[in-house]
Amino acid sequence: MKAIPAPVKHSLCHLAVVSALTLGVASVSYAQSEATTLTGLPLGQALNSLSQQLGLVIIAPTRLVRDKTAATADSTLPPLEQVRQMLKGSGLQVQQDHNGTLVIKAGQTNAQVTNEQQVSSTKSMDEIVVTAMKRESTLQDVPVALSVLGQQAIRDKGISDFTDLVDSLAGVSINSAFGGPENSFITIRGIGGADDYKPNGNPSVALHVDGIYQTSNAYLSMPLFDLERIEVVKGPQGTLYGRNTTAGAINAITRGATDSLEGYAELEYGSYDHISGTFAVGGPLSDKLGARVAVTMRQGGGFMDGEGAGSFAGYVPEGFEGIIPPVSDPGKREGFGDADLFAMRGTVQYAFSPLTELTLRYFMSANNGDTRQYDRIAFSDDKPALNAGEDSDPYRFYASEYYSHQIDVSGFNGEFSHQLPNQMSLDVLAGYQKSERNVSGNGDGTPFPKFRYDFDEELEQSSLEVRLSDVSGGEVDWLVGAFIVSDSVDFISDWTSYAVMSQYSSPYNQRRNSSALFGNLDWYLTDDLSINAGLRYTSDQVKFRGSNIDHNPWGVSVYEDYFKSPSNFSWDREFTDNNLSGKLSATYYVSDRLNVFASVGTAYRGGGFDGTSIFTLEETEPFDSEEVLAYEAGLRYVHEEGLNLSLDLFSYEFEELQATARLANDTNGRTNVGKAEVKGGEAALSLPVWQGDNQSFSLDAAVTYLDSEITEFHSNRVNDVQNTLGDPLPGSPRWSGNAAFEYLHLLSDSQLRARLEYSFHDEESNRLNAGEGNLTPAYSLLGLRLELAMNSGMTLYAYGRNILDKEYFLELNAGARLVGEPATYGAGINYSF
């Protein structure tokens, strides 16, 4: 049997990994390229050589190009035409992504090829380019559970920050726990629901923007705009992504410069005086330099009505008249919850040569909107001591103050890519950013200031990642790298409490340094079987200092009796840890269109310190790192007529589970509480239901099933142990899913799209020891979008979200509840040039 040359055995599609996303590279003259005779070479080897000559990405899976020979190509033609000529007689075709990447895929049937009028509203997995494995590949060839939202899907679903992914993706939830939607965390597949929402915590979901790790859940509300795509990697990812990826990783990838001047302007108006606008423009500044600028703004949209302090107006605890100030009444306010956001990003890309490029970005955002309020349940069902007169309407609330927030984020990052002479690629990512946040509220959803808070936070982080990878396309493909990140948090919480009869503060600062070495190896045992193995060693050091101060301004503080602790104290703690995570997976290509994979791996969530306000010395003690052993198996199938199918089964076993629980002194604190298991399955289907000459109807659907259980629980409180063992993890709905039905009609000078979206979210708890008051009921949402895209570049659209006006809740906390948006409608105009 004829031996297959080594360069053809690159099963994960990386026959060429030289990035050509900049205008400078794309502007290199084809005629000036030093042409090499590629005729007669194995097709994979020829495509690899062409990509190096011209300096652009060609993704050609081995499962498609093996045993095929390159046809004659004219080297004076543009790259796309050269590749088309090289593929003649192979049964393959090439598709160019809008960023310039050329993707080799299986050819269409004769019927498909001859009918140029046919349209499709689905995109095949073997066309979608992703970077989830730290290098470009197609979605079909990634041996992990991965969801990708492209530009159109992001627009359809109205995604403007990380929290909007909830109800957009199966298996994704959000939990606020305390402090409202500005202090939240995301769960994936039931993992992360017991996270710490404070800025110094260790989130289970690793957030990234352009590959830069976001160290805190505080960045969840950071605006996302002018995006290329969003990649959501589900399940533990301890080797390539490292610490704090026990639930998975999310990477939002922004748009860069293009090889010609282009951009768009969009303006939208909707219910509750919502208005938003985005403008972006990019293009060449010279033959090597490209740039892009994008700005966005949002105003209005508040759908709640404030009723003032109600029956608590002027309230003073009995016997303390003239000592403690009365509850103030801010009066009524309609349309509370308005957004007030402005953000911008500038990107510059410089091509030193076809093999070397540098990308620099600067970004900033100012978010000064209203902080959405908790509402109380109806007076007849509530504790009279906390209810100011609430009825059953969840969109009306009572408060002694209408809270707003101030969240400012700014920073810069860069990416340097260079292909070395010995067929290795060097990639360097560096970033710095800071955030200042001021958030206030009353977590009880009442004007009664049992615990009213002001959180003042300053965050700062810097990171550096260096990767060296093989781009030869041989039987063994490898990647090694180093990563360091440093972050600091300065946090001050000021409290006014009628329960404690005092005002007190809990300032602290945390300094954290983490470093890691990692490696990943792909070994292609045969043309159809590959083994992937990865290791990552991480070292963490954390310093945590702070104090508690009881100001006792009224001279009647009961702090020491209430918290069973000294009222004034300080602490200085340190925590160090290291971890070795690993993963082993195998992928088998049953055919060009079907592959199956299985994996086993470990990941961990770093230990550290409680991020909530510290009221007792016991809460200052460190907790250990959480570890997970993960098993996963799945399949990916792509049919030539556009059907995409993916199935995943998974099982996770957790040790040293981290959660906020009752400590020995009966206060709440972050600690290790025991063990847990998560098992489940996930399925996703993309199907072109019907396709005609100028019309098509398609279906996209996904569903996640979760079975989570707390199998071991430690507590000094016997009732807590009994009530928690066997419970599901917080943030783990048993069923969640979504489906979208889309109709596409090509007209003579325009394109009409109609999209109906359905999502379902099962009942879930938002904390340990959850009772009825902590279980959010299941809900379903229905949305509709109509879009008319004209060939002139003008697009008109209208949408409705939650069009059946279903009443649903994002969180229930005893008598307090955080309601989701009612039915909202809007329309907009987009002009692309």
Side-chain angles (χ1 to χ4, degrees):
M1 186 177 82
K2 181 181 177 181
I4 305 297
V8 188
K9 292 186 178 286
H10 193 303
S11 178
L12 283 184
C13 317
H14 228 71
L15 298 175
V17 200
V18 182
S19 179
L21 301 180
T22 67
L23 169 67
V25 173
S27 300
V28 175
S29 172
Y30 310 125
Q32 292 176 349
S33 300
E34 185 177 338
T36 301
T37 301
L38 304 176
T39 305
L41 290 177
L43 182 56
Q45 183 179 344
L47 291 171
N48 187 42
S49 298
L50 182 65
S51 72
Q52 294 183 45
Q53 290 176 23
L54 300 180
L56 81 153
V57 177
I58 302 177
I59 296 181
T62 298
R63 58 187 168 81
L64 298 180
V65 300
R66 64 181 179 227
D67 292 327
K68 292 181 173 63
T69 303
T72 303
D74 185 349
S75 62
T76 64
L77 292 175
L80 181 61
E81 294 304 319
Q82 287 190 54
V83 174
R84 281 176 177 162
Q85 290 187 353
M86 295 170 74
L87 296 179
K88 283 183 179 179
S90 67
L92 304 176
Q93 63 178 357
V94 59
Q95 177 167 327
Q96 186 166 30
D97 206 343
H98 60 272
N99 63 13
T101 300
L102 301 182
V103 183
I104 308 301
K105 55 177 293 189
Q108 296 176 318
T109 63
N110 291 334
Q112 290 173 306
V113 173
T114 57
N115 192 349
E116 296 181 357
Q117 295 297 316
Q118 286 188 321
V119 295
S120 176
S121 55
T122 61
K123 193 171 184 180
S124 177
M125 282 191 292
D126 60 1
E127 299 174 26
I128 300 172
V129 179
V130 297
T131 55
M133 303 302 290
K134 301 285 188 179
R135 58 175 70 196
E136 290 92 348
S137 57
T138 61
L139 181 58
Q140 186 187 4
D141 294 298
V142 177
V144 297
L146 177 65
S147 296
V148 180
L149 297 174
Q151 295 176 31
Q152 187 63 54
I154 292 170
R155 288 193 296 267
D156 289 341
K157 298 174 183 295
I159 295 173
S160 58
D161 58 40
F162 286 107
T163 63
D164 288 331
L165 293 173
V166 180
D167 298 319
S168 296
L169 294 172
V172 179
S173 296
I174 191 168
N175 194 344
S176 295
F178 181 75
E182 306 308 324
N183 291 288
S184 303
F185 41 87
I186 285 181
T187 71
I188 298 179
R189 291 180 171 177
I191 308 168
D195 274 7
D196 185 356
Y197 59 89
K198 284 300 186 293
N200 75 322
N202 292 297
S204 298
V205 179
L207 304 176
H208 296 77
V209 178
D210 290 317
I212 302 298
Y213 175 54
Q214 312 292 299
T215 59
S216 172
N217 272 324
Y219 295 113
L220 269 175
S221 60
M222 189 167 62
L224 300 177
F225 61 102
D226 194 38
L227 296 181
E228 182 78 27
R229 65 185 182 276
I230 299 174
E231 299 180 6
V232 181
V233 187
K234 298 180 178 180
Q237 306 295 325
T239 54
L240 286 176
Y241 289 93
R243 184 191 69 183
N244 301 345
T245 56
T246 49
I250 302 175
N251 190 15
I253 300 162
T254 65
R255 299 181 66 179
T258 50
D259 59 358
S260 60
L261 181 65
E262 64 87 27
Y264 64 93
E266 181 170 309
L267 185 64
E268 178 180 299
Y269 181 80
S271 302
Y272 306 102
D273 292 326
H274 157 78
I275 185 170
S276 65
T278 302
F279 173 78
V281 61
L285 300 179
S286 71
D287 61 344
K288 291 189 175 183
L289 181 65
R292 187 177 186 87
V293 176
V295 296
T296 191
M297 57 79 66
R298 292 199 299 269
Q299 296 285 328
F303 57 83
M304 299 190 73
D305 293 329
E307 298 295 321
S311 61
F312 278 109
Y315 172 80
V316 177
E318 185 177 352
F320 293 91
E321 296 83 357
I323 300 175
I324 294 178
V327 174
S328 60
D329 188 353
K332 294 188 176 183
R333 180 170 167 182
E334 294 183 355
F336 183 80
D338 283 346
D340 182 6
L341 170 75
F342 174 80
M344 67 84 62
R345 179 174 57 250
T347 304
V348 175
Q349 296 173 300
Y350 185 78
F352 296 92
S353 73
L355 305 180
T356 306
E357 66 175 6
L358 174 67
T359 301
L360 298 175
R361 304 178 188 91
Y362 170 79
F363 58 91
M364 62 79 59
S365 65
N367 183 346
N368 301 308
D370 299 332
T371 300
R372 278 179 54 192
Q373 295 292 295
Y374 285 85
D375 165 69
R376 295 292 296 188
I377 57 177
F379 185 87
S380 58
D381 301 323
D382 199 12
K383 299 176 182 178
L386 291 176
N387 199 296
E390 290 280 1
D391 55 25
S392 59
D393 185 354
Y395 307 111
R396 297 174 58 201
F397 68 97
Y398 289 81
S400 59
E401 181 180 348
Y402 296 121
Y403 301 104
S404 62
H405 53 259
Q406 181 178 347
I407 305 174
D408 298 322
V409 181
S410 63
F412 56 87
N413 59 63
E415 182 175 355
F416 177 76
S417 179
H418 175 63
Q419 184 168 342
L420 302 172
N422 51 356
Q423 299 199 54
M424 292 191 297
S425 180
L426 173 68
D427 294 282
V428 181
L429 283 80
Y432 167 83
Q433 67 189 56
K434 62 179 181 179
S435 171
E436 296 182 5
R437 293 168 27 109
N438 189 286
V439 179
S440 304
N442 187 344
D444 289 324
T446 171
F448 178 70
K450 185 178 181 181
F451 293 104
R452 183 214 180 275
Y453 60 85
D454 289 284
F455 295 158
D456 190 359
E457 311 163 3
E458 292 187 9
L459 293 80
E460 190 173 11
Q461 71 169 73
S462 57
S463 63
L464 174 68
E465 181 169 335
V466 180
R467 300 193 300 265
L468 190 65
S469 58
D470 168 47
V471 294
S472 64
E475 292 185 356
V476 177
D477 181 28
W478 54 265
L479 178 150
V480 296
F483 174 73
I484 58 173
V485 61
S486 298
D487 69 306
S488 63
V489 178
D490 292 292
F491 179 83
I492 300 175
S493 61
D494 293 315
W495 296 81
T496 297
S497 171
Y498 276 23
V500 182
M501 299 291 185
S502 187
Q503 293 178 337
Y504 46 97
S505 302
S506 179
Y508 69 73
N509 67 74
Q510 177 178 283
R511 304 293 182 264
R512 181 168 49 192
N513 295 293
S514 181
S515 58
L517 297 173
F518 59 92
N520 196 73
L521 184 72
D522 291 302
W523 183 13
Y524 308 102
L525 300 177
T526 70
D527 296 335
D528 301 319
L529 177 65
S530 68
I531 301 294
N532 176 278
L535 283 175
R536 187 181 187 107
Y537 175 79
T538 306
S539 177
D540 292 327
Q541 301 87 35
V542 188
K543 294 184 178 181
F544 187 54
R545 301 180 178 91
S547 61
N548 187 81
I549 306 164
D550 181 13
H551 301 290
N552 193 14
W554 310 313
V556 290
S557 173
V558 294
Y559 188 101
E560 295 191 355
D561 290 336
Y562 192 93
F563 290 112
K564 305 296 188 294
S565 169
S567 58
N568 294 281
F569 58 88
S570 60
W571 69 89
D572 187 347
R573 305 275 193 251
E574 292 189 15
F575 172 82
T576 60
D577 194 14
N578 57 73
N579 176 269
L580 182 65
S581 299
K583 187 174 184 178
L584 180 65
S585 66
T587 302
Y588 179 70
Y589 288 88
V590 180
S591 68
D592 291 344
R593 302 191 178 277
L594 173 65
N595 68 68
V596 295
F597 70 89
S599 68
V600 58
T602 61
Y604 88 111
R605 182 148 60 108
F609 297 93
D610 195 339
T612 55
S613 300
I614 306 298
F615 300 144
T616 67
L617 276 171
E618 186 176 1
E619 295 169 77
T620 69
E621 297 296 334
F623 50 84
D624 292 331
S625 299
E626 177 183 287
E627 297 184 352
V628 59
L629 176 62
Y631 302 92
E632 189 152 357
L635 68 83
R636 304 286 182 263
Y637 176 72
V638 176
H639 191 271
E640 63 181 6
E641 295 183 358
L643 182 148
N644 298 327
L645 175 66
S646 65
L647 297 174
D648 294 277
L649 299 174
F650 49 87
S651 176
Y652 309 137
E653 300 174 3
F654 288 86
E655 301 273 353
E656 299 294 347
L657 183 70
Q658 297 173 10
T660 299
R662 290 280 184 175
L663 303 177
N665 61 3
D666 210 32
T667 59
N668 287 321
R670 195 83 180 154
T671 187
N672 301 102
V673 298
K675 300 179 181 180
E677 294 180 353
V678 179
K679 298 178 182 178
E682 197 164 63
L685 172 70
S686 180
L687 175 67
V689 179
W690 174 79
Q691 197 161 309
D693 289 347
N694 58 359
Q695 300 177 71
S696 69
F697 182 69
S698 63
L699 166 68
D700 289 297
V703 63
T704 298
Y705 171 79
L706 295 174
D707 180 13
S708 68
E709 181 181 5
I710 299 173
T711 58
E712 185 177 307
F713 188 75
H714 308 296
S715 173
N716 293 322
R717 297 164 59 94
V718 175
N719 287 340
D720 282 359
V721 175
Q722 294 175 341
N723 293 335
T724 305
L725 278 175
D727 279 359
L729 285 168
S732 58
R734 186 169 291 269
W735 290 99
S736 63
N738 52 70
F741 304 89
E742 183 172 301
Y743 171 74
L744 182 64
H745 189 176
L746 292 183
L747 305 174
S748 60
D749 59 352
S750 60
Q751 173 180 287
L752 176 66
R753 291 177 64 245
R755 186 177 179 89
L756 183 68
E757 293 217 27
Y758 168 82
S759 66
F760 173 77
H761 204 94
D762 212 347
E763 176 187 81
E764 66 178 338
S765 65
N766 62 7
R767 62 192 63 222
L768 300 176
N769 314 123
E772 284 190 18
N774 298 118
L775 295 175
T776 57
Y779 63 87
S780 298
L781 301 177
L782 197 64
L784 178 66
R785 182 182 175 96
L786 301 174
E787 184 177 284
L788 179 64
M790 291 169 271
N791 294 343
S792 63
M794 187 80 70
T795 299
L796 304 176
Y797 64 88
Y799 65 84
R801 301 185 182 120
N802 188 13
I803 58 177
L804 299 182
D805 201 21
K806 292 291 186 181
E807 187 179 285
Y808 67 102
F809 298 95
L810 302 175
E811 179 190 346
L812 293 181
N813 181 11
R817 53 189 182 177
L818 191 63
V819 68
E821 281 190 335
T824 55
Y825 301 90
I829 182 171
N830 178 297
Y831 178 68
S832 299
F833 54 89

